[in-house]
């Protein structure tokens, strides 16, 4: 007889405090809103961050001079003894003006490096490494860094930003739902 006196769990109102219901009203809502929505939100944030970083970098890389200009080294051929005998030789006159400026910069630099700012006419030869005679001295010249521009769709930035915003929405779903459920409960009274 005590079973008839106690109301069933389905008829029982949700537990409340001063802000509204402590938990969602249905168990399926509880699992979905408590665990699944925040988990999907965190996944969206995790996917959105690299997308927005790479997409944003692609947009600014060329404007900030972060890519596109390869670097060459010029090492005096004397340091290699006889090992450069099989390497092709290019006269300095065959170098483009940008390549010649980079060669002069590399010769004057303590790091023996120079940046090619302009057209790279002898790219294939410089990738392999060549001996260049400049002002009576032979130098082994080679491209050390191509500094290629990253090529992805710039649309990744807004896609990543939207994914991050949707992720924050998923993470904030449980507290927002609890506030709305509490508001609904107060409206029913």
């Amino acid at each position: 007889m005590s079973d008839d006196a106690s109301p069933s769990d389905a008829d029982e109102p949700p537990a409340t405090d001063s802000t509204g219901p402590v938990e969602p009203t249905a168990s399926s809502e509880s699992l979905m809103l408590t665990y699944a929505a925040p988990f999907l939100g965190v996944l969206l944030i995790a996917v959105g961050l690299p997308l927005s970083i790479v997409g944003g970098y692609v947009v600014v890389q060329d404007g900030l001079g972060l890519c596109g200009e390869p670097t060459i080294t010029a090492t005096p051929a004397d340091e290699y003894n006889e090992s450069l005998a099989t390497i092709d030789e290019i006269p300095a006159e065959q170098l483009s003006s940008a390549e010649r400026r980079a060669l002069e910069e590399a010769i004057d630099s303590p790091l023996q490096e120079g940046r090619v700012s302009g057209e790279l006419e002898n790219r294939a030869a410089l990738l392999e490494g060549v001996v260049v005679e400049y002002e009576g001295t032979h130098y082994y010249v080679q491209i050390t860094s191509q500094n290629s521009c990253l090529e992805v769709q710039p649309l990744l930035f807004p896609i990543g930003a939207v994914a991050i915003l949707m992720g924050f929405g998923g993470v904030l779903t449980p507290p927002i739902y609890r506030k709305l459920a509490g508001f609904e409960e107060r409206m029913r009274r």
Side-chain angles (χ1 to χ4, degrees):
M1 189 127 164
S2 63
D3 290 335
D4 294 331
S6 67
S8 67
D9 288 341
D11 297 338
E12 203 172 288
T16 60
D17 62 8
S18 62
T19 61
V22 175
E23 60 187 43
T25 54
S27 63
S28 64
E29 288 176 348
S30 175
L31 289 175
M32 182 68 165
L33 294 174
T34 304
Y35 301 110
F39 178 73
L40 290 175
V42 169
L43 285 179
L44 283 172
I45 292 170
V47 168
L49 281 173
L51 289 178
S52 61
I53 289 170
V54 170
Y57 178 75
V58 166
V59 172
V60 299
Q61 69 181 342
D62 198 29
L64 296 177
L66 300 173
C67 67
E69 296 179 342
T71 306
I72 62 168
T73 59
T75 310
D78 301 344
E79 294 181 17
Y80 292 99
N81 298 327
E82 297 297 319
S83 61
L84 296 179
T86 60
I87 304 294
D88 293 338
E89 189 169 334
I90 295 179
E93 296 79 32
Q94 281 189 353
L95 298 176
S96 69
S97 60
E99 292 168 343
R100 198 171 302 116
R101 279 193 307 271
L103 176 64
E104 292 168 355
E105 180 184 335
I107 291 170
D108 294 338
S109 169
L111 299 174
Q112 299 177 337
E113 289 186 357
R115 185 175 300 272
V116 182
S117 301
E119 189 173 341
L120 194 62
E121 293 175 5
N122 299 299
R123 179 181 297 272
L126 290 172
L127 279 172
E128 294 293 323
V130 293
V131 175
V132 177
E133 182 182 351
Y134 184 74
E135 295 181 352
T137 308
H138 287 81
Y139 295 95
Y140 177 66
V141 180
Q142 184 178 23
I143 292 178
T144 55
S145 173
Q146 294 194 49
N147 294 333
S148 303
C149 292
L150 182 63
E151 294 186 19
V152 295
Q153 294 298 319
L155 207 61
L156 290 180
F157 179 72
I159 290 172
V162 168
I164 291 169
L165 291 174
M166 288 175 60
F168 279 126
V171 169
L172 296 175
T173 296
I176 291 171
Y177 178 76
R178 287 185 189 110
K179 291 284 185 190
L180 290 175
F183 178 73
E184 185 180 336
E185 252 338 282
R186 285 193 295 275
M187 293 304 289
R188 284 186 196 163
R189 291 183 197 158

